[in-house]
Amino acid sequence: MITAAASVVASIPSPSISYFDIGPLRIHIYALCIITGIIVAVLWTNARLTKRGAEPWVVIDIALLAVPLAIITARIYHVLTHWSFYFGEGANPLSALYIWEGGIAIYGALIGGAVGAWLGCRWTGIRFWTFADALAPGLLLAQAIGRFGNWFNQELYGLPTDVPWGLEIDYPNPAWPIGLPEGTLFHPTFLYEVLWNALGVLVIVWVGRRFRLQWGRLFAVYLIWYSAGRIVWESIRIDPSDIFLGLRTNVWAAILGVVIGLVIFFVQKRRHPGLEPSPYVSGREWNAGQAVQSQNTDDFVDVSEPPTSEVEEVSATSTPATK
């Protein structure tokens, strides 16, 4: 194992900053990565839904509920699965609120986001599974973008390694293993997940087009793909995490994600062998012709014909008098 920076042939350096200041405002790069991922996912999901026949930008109405709930539950999930880190001996319980320091869990985000998306779909009339399928590739791409935030925060890295792409971490670090000397390199689990997710985006797009997966089956592919990779990355990470039956809690969550994905795929395939008739539930369809265009509307102009008596009166007064 390489233990000194001088003997490193090649390695991945960690960024020297994790935030920057604009006047009195402090901008955390971790937050920028998350926000960028959300924007990308919303834009791509809008394009995919619109192509299916949904009202343009209806995704905004759904995101207004789904995104806040996803962030809140993602933080709650992280705190619950790292309880001792926030409420153990010598810990600062208030730090559980310091979301800008990192620490949101995708599985918590999926739970809250699913509830918010379901409510948003009920509100707009969009089929929940149609929205989930449209979201699948954009969500995975957003997760890939968000992982760069972990790189800037120098967190969630893996076991010590001597591979040429080992990750440099500043010493000391809260997650630094006891006994390891300064200069030790670690597996860049953030990069592994970025590459896995990026490949998954291509797979999901191809599978969706090749087999025309609908009724939530494309979202099931997302769950299976992401969770399968997460099982591996979680198994080599060394950041503090609660252990249950010998495995990290997020490993169990990833295993459950694969199982749920398989259940959704096969149950929906059996229940809905055909294609979706519309992105909307029956009776809530959107008609593009109902849209009001400012250059083609009579909403504020009286174009009705005047009463007959008024027409006759006008005609009488406008006729030249003859002698």
Side-chain angles (χ1 to χ4, degrees), residues 38-50 54-67 116-117 120-121 123-124 126 131 134-135 280:
I38 291 173
I39 293 174
V40 168
V42 167
L43 292 175
W44 197 356
T45 303
N46 173 70
R48 288 169 58 82
L49 275 179
T50 303
E55 179 183 2
W57 300 112
V58 69
V59 65
I60 297 294
D61 296 330
I62 301 174
L64 287 174
L65 292 172
V67 172
C121 288
W123 179 18
T124 59
I126 294 288
F131 175 78
L135 174 66
Y280 287 90

Side-chain angles (χ1 to χ4, degrees), residues 29 153 234 255 315:
I29 300 176
N153 277 5
E234 283 290 335
I255 294 173
S315 300

Side-chain angles (χ1 to χ4, degrees), residues 72-196:
I72 291 171
T73 53
R75 183 60 175 181
I76 292 174
Y77 183 100
H78 169 78
V79 171
L80 291 177
T81 55
H82 295 76
W83 188 262
S84 58
F85 188 78
Y86 297 98
F87 300 99
E89 184 178 354
N92 177 18
L94 287 178
S95 63
L97 303 176
Y98 300 165
I99 191 172
W100 55 85
E101 294 182 351
I104 58 174
I106 182 59
Y107 289 110
L110 288 175
I111 295 171
V115 173
W118 182 80
L119 292 173
C121 288
R122 295 270 294 182
W123 179 18
T124 59
I126 294 288
R127 293 179 188 272
F128 173 76
W129 289 120
T130 301
F131 175 78
D133 287 338
L135 174 66
L139 177 58
L140 196 55
L141 181 58
Q143 290 171 240
I145 296 171
R147 277 304 178 202
F148 284 101
N150 300 133
W151 181 42
F152 278 92
N153 277 5
Q154 300 194 37
E155 60 184 1
L156 309 187
Y157 45 88
L159 293 167
T161 183
D162 58 359
V163 296
W165 56 86
L167 179 65
E168 300 175 18
I169 296 294
D170 292 341
Y171 180 88
N173 184 288
W176 194 277
I178 298 176
L180 287 182
E182 183 177 359
T184 299
L185 300 181
F186 300 90
H187 278 288
T189 49
F190 87 91
L191 181 59
Y192 298 160
E193 190 165 328
V194 167
L195 296 175
W196 178 257

Side-chain angles (χ1 to χ4, degrees), residues 279-314:
Y280 287 90
V281 297
S282 180
R284 300 287 301 278
E285 292 83 359
W286 171 72
N287 185 355
Q290 295 174 348
V292 176
Q293 302 295 329
S294 60
Q295 69 273 19
N296 184 28
T297 178
D298 298 323
D299 284 358
F300 304 103
V301 180
D302 185 3
V303 295
S304 61
E305 294 183 3
T308 304
S309 59
E310 292 184 11
V311 173
E312 292 176 351
E313 183 179 350
V314 170

